[in-house]
Amino acid sequence: MADSEMPARGPRIALLLKLLTGIACAAPLAWLYWAWQAGELGFHPAEAIVHFLGRFGLGLLLLTLILGTLAHVLRAPKLLILHPLLGIAAFVYLTLHALSWAGLDMVWEWEFIAMEMVDLRYLQVGLVSLVLLIPLPLTSGRGLSHHWGSTLWHWLHRLGYVAVAAGLLHLWIITRADYALPVIYMVGFAAVIALRLLTPLWHTVRAR
Amino acid sequence: MRAFCYPKPRSSEITPRHLFERRREFLRQSASGLALAAAPALWSASAWSWTGRLGDADPTEFTTEGDKTPKEAIKTYNNFFEFGTGKDDPHKNAHKLQTDPWSLEISGEVEKSGTFGLEDVLKHHSFEERIYRLRCVEAWSMVIPWVGFPLADLLKRHEPTSRAKYAMFETLHDPEQMPAQRRDILDWPYREGLRMDEAMHPLTILAVGLYGDVLPNQNGAPIRLVVPWKYGYKSIKSIVRIHLQEKRPVSTWEAERPNEYGFYAIVDPEVRHPRWHQATERRIGEDGRRRTEKFNGYGEHVAHLYEGMDLSEYR
């Protein structure tokens, strides 16, 4: 992020924070792989893996939005040092989510993959969500946001909101009885949107 | 004694007679087979036990080709929302279910209605092993060696009246024993229904065991329906009531989402479902995917029940 200036001790703490966050993001993936190999995922591991990666990835993406919003609302740009890391981790999870569906659940049978993609709305919505995300990790470096100028970069990265919205729709369509998780995610997303919309208003009111 | 009766027997159909002959074989096998001969005793009032072995029965006419799904898979990968929506929730939570004593109410359009202790119901039946494919609407499947008896045998004993057009089934409703019933995830108690000819079909059984043992709780103990040519949600578990009626009942999932879960729920790769593609399935325990068969492969036995019905409309 462009606007995080570190005090003297800053870089080391920042590095430590990034490291811890990186570990926290990678640990569930490592656990999933271990559980899969150890046969801990039950008798339909493909399903367990696809669901886990999707739920966790969408949660991480939402968390990325929450972090960005908090940094904005609290005027604490330092929070943003974790922003690219979370975003990239979310992208990795969601990409693996799609790949595990195609590879483990559809066993790379292109006929089945095509059939399902054509017939099932939630898969189309999910794919749109993932495709929208592709530009974001590609432009998440500090350099690019400088180079492009803040405005263009911020506009591009608003795709994150569209992707989360599409991801939530995808999750909503496939949920059928227990809506606990989608509701939690939706409340989080609604809070982010509300804060984003209300903060400028709040600042103008205060400025008067 | 007629073992079963098709509603509209047609001379062109060989199957019924064929089944009829085999049916007598089952009975003979039941009577002569050592394990099975011992089994009914287990179910008598004096030797009532839910942990007893029912014994292995010989394969029947309806035995499915292909490997049986491992017992561990059948016991740990379940949909039984009364115990939670996760696949392993039923396995974890179903121990709270008390299956003994158990009573079964048979009501509605029958001459002999009443509430009966399960042992009094079961003492009239000898058990058969039926190795059936089970196809879940979620596009997975299993091959399960059930132990049970034809539903028709039970219904006939209670003498359905001429107004009995449908059978409605109800699962136990007791949040103390079925913890997820405390939550409003479905309109409890779970209900299912069959048309009378479907209920009387010789493939339709009430199961009390699998793999030769009494049913594990998570698989619908102590008594459940198995209708192998329909999606799994029709095969209602832990039944406390069977009600025959003139009006078509509305099943729980049908009430929840009528555009997804039809009353007929016939396994059909051609009929689209918005959530799961029905053209293929994952046989639990296998690595690849299989193509789903119409009527789950039981077309020769049941297709005639739906002649003249557009199954994409009557889902």
Side-chain angles (χ1 to χ4, degrees):
Chain A
M1 293 290 132
D3 42 3
S4 50
E5 284 211 10
M6 293 292 152
R9 260 180 330 128
R12 260 189 295 169
I13 295 175
L15 194 67
L16 188 67
L17 265 178
K18 279 187 189 174
L19 197 69
L20 288 175
T21 310
I23 291 171
C25 288
L29 196 60
W31 171 84
L32 186 68
Y33 183 76
W34 169 83
W36 179 26
Q37 295 304 312
E40 295 284 317
L41 295 178
F43 282 88
H44 193 350
E47 178 189 55
I49 289 170
V50 172
H51 287 176
F52 181 90
L53 290 171
R55 285 170 187 156
F56 200 81
L58 188 57
L60 269 182
L61 194 62
L62 187 59
L63 209 60
T64 314
L65 292 191
I66 290 172
L67 189 75
T69 303
L70 284 181
H72 176 70
V73 172
L74 303 174
R75 301 200 158 163
K78 278 182 201 165
L79 287 176
L80 290 175
I81 54 168
L82 297 177
H83 197 256
L85 193 64
L86 279 181
I88 289 170
F91 183 75
V92 169
Y93 272 92
L94 293 171
T95 305
L96 289 175
H97 167 63
L99 287 176
S100 63
W101 173 79
L104 297 178
D105 204 13
M106 293 296 121
V107 292
W108 294 121
E109 290 271 2
W110 293 105
E111 183 202 343
F112 299 165
I113 292 172
M115 209 160 56
E116 302 229 344
M117 288 304 310
V118 167
D119 286 343
L120 297 178
R121 186 66 42 86
Y122 82 92
L123 288 176
Q124 297 157 4
V125 173
L127 186 65
V128 166
S129 171
L130 187 61
V131 168
L132 288 177
L133 279 179
I134 291 173
L136 307 197
L138 295 179
T139 58
S140 77
R142 176 186 263 265
L144 260 180
S145 60
H146 268 302
H147 183 69
W148 282 23
S150 221
T151 318
L152 182 61
W153 189 90
H154 275 106
W155 268 107
L156 182 69
H157 279 240
R158 279 178 188 159
L159 280 178
Y161 292 86
V162 187
V164 168
L168 286 174
L169 179 60
H170 167 87
L171 178 63
W172 187 262
I173 299 174
I174 50 172
T175 303
R176 57 172 182 150
D178 189 349
Y179 283 87
L181 186 80
V183 165
I184 290 169
Y185 281 5
M186 279 178 170
V187 167
F189 187 59
V192 165
I193 298 291
L195 281 173
R196 282 283 179 181
L197 294 178
L198 291 178
T199 319
L201 212 67
W202 166 248
H203 285 313
T204 29
V205 169
R206 262 184 53 176
R208 269 182 204 162
Chain B
M1 182 194 96
R2 289 188 63 180
F4 63 88
C5 179
Y6 276 83
K8 291 177 199 163
R10 284 201 319 269
S11 56
S12 65
E13 231 142 22
I14 300 164
T15 316
R17 189 173 147 200
H18 179 50
L19 294 182
F20 182 76
E21 287 164 1
R22 293 293 307 223
R23 172 82 183 101
R24 285 193 279 194
E25 261 179 60
F26 309 154
L27 293 176
R28 230 182 6 255
Q29 284 160 355
S30 313
S32 61
L34 189 68
L36 258 190
L42 261 183
W43 297 86
S44 69
S46 57
W48 182 246
S49 163
W50 282 126
T51 53
R53 242 187 104 66
L54 301 175
D56 296 313
D58 290 325
T60 69
E61 159 72 17
F62 304 112
T63 292
T64 300
E65 284 178 37
D67 292 333
K68 289 180 271 189
T69 304
K71 190 177 183 187
E72 241 351 80
I74 298 171
K75 285 171 69 176
T76 56
Y77 189 85
N78 303 101
N79 277 333
F80 200 167
F81 281 17
E82 281 80 348
F83 296 107
T85 53
K87 286 287 181 289
D88 54 349
D89 286 342
H91 164 66
K92 286 182 196 151
N93 300 328
H95 62 273
K96 296 190 181 103
L97 178 65
Q98 295 295 321
T99 55
D100 179 18
W102 191 271
S103 45
L104 183 63
E105 183 187 350
I106 296 167
S107 58
E109 296 296 340
V110 284
E111 297 296 343
K112 296 177 180 170
S113 61
T115 302
F116 309 90
L118 187 58
E119 61 276 19
D120 293 327
V121 175
L122 297 180
K123 70 183 177 197
H124 298 284
H125 302 274
S126 56
F127 305 132
E128 307 164 11
E129 177 164 75
R130 298 283 186 104
I131 304 173
Y132 280 168
R133 286 179 290 269
L134 173 89
R135 170 61 157 77
C136 179
V137 70
E138 295 170 347
W140 55 265
S141 63
M142 292 182 177
V143 178
I144 305 179
W146 301 108
V147 179
F149 56 91
L151 171 64
D153 291 358
L154 180 142
L155 293 181
K156 278 182 210 151
R157 217 179 49 248
H158 292 271
E159 297 170 20
T161 72
S162 60
R163 282 197 300 273
K165 300 281 192 291
Y166 293 92
M168 191 274 281
F169 306 84
E170 217 170 83
T171 296
L172 176 71
H173 186 198
D174 181 359
E176 290 293 313
Q177 299 183 56
M178 298 179 148
Q181 283 181 337
R182 291 198 194 101
R183 296 176 55 209
D184 213 8
I185 38 186
L186 284 173
D187 185 15
W188 314 116
Y190 194 89
R191 286 198 183 93
E192 259 308 338
L194 293 174
R195 215 169 56 189
M196 211 52 195
D197 56 346
E198 299 172 325
M200 300 299 279
H201 192 281
L203 272 173
T204 304
I205 60 165
L206 287 171
V208 293
L210 66 83
Y211 265 109
D213 287 328
V214 291
L215 279 177
N217 287 354
Q218 61 269 31
N219 295 95
I223 188 162
R224 65 168 293 168
L225 186 67
V226 182
V227 195
W229 69 94
K230 291 169 179 267
Y231 291 122
Y233 65 87
K234 296 297 290 184
S235 293
I236 185 171
K237 295 168 173 172
S238 305
I239 300 168
V240 293
R241 184 166 170 239
I242 301 175
H243 185 84
L244 301 192
Q245 56 194 67
E246 193 163 17
K247 225 180 112 215
R248 180 170 88 66
V250 176
S251 51
T252 299
W253 276 111
E254 184 192 6
E256 192 80 7
R257 291 174 183 269
N259 61 326
E260 291 187 33
Y261 308 102
F263 176 78
Y264 288 95
I266 288 154
V267 177
D268 190 341
E270 301 295 326
V271 176
R272 295 246 300 257
H273 189 282
R275 201 176 288 268
W276 301 281
H277 210 288
Q278 302 300 3
T280 67
E281 67 198 49
R282 162 82 54 153
R283 180 70 50 84
I284 297 299
E286 287 183 355
D287 287 332
R289 286 189 87 81
R290 291 167 175 261
R291 281 173 207 278
T292 293
E293 289 180 82
K294 189 163 183 174
F295 297 111
N296 202 19
Y298 297 98
E300 60 168 316
H301 304 300
V302 298
H304 67 278
L305 298 177
Y306 308 102
E307 241 158 54
M309 275 173 75
D310 179 359
L311 291 179
S312 60
E313 192 182 330
Y314 291 96
R315 287 174 302 118

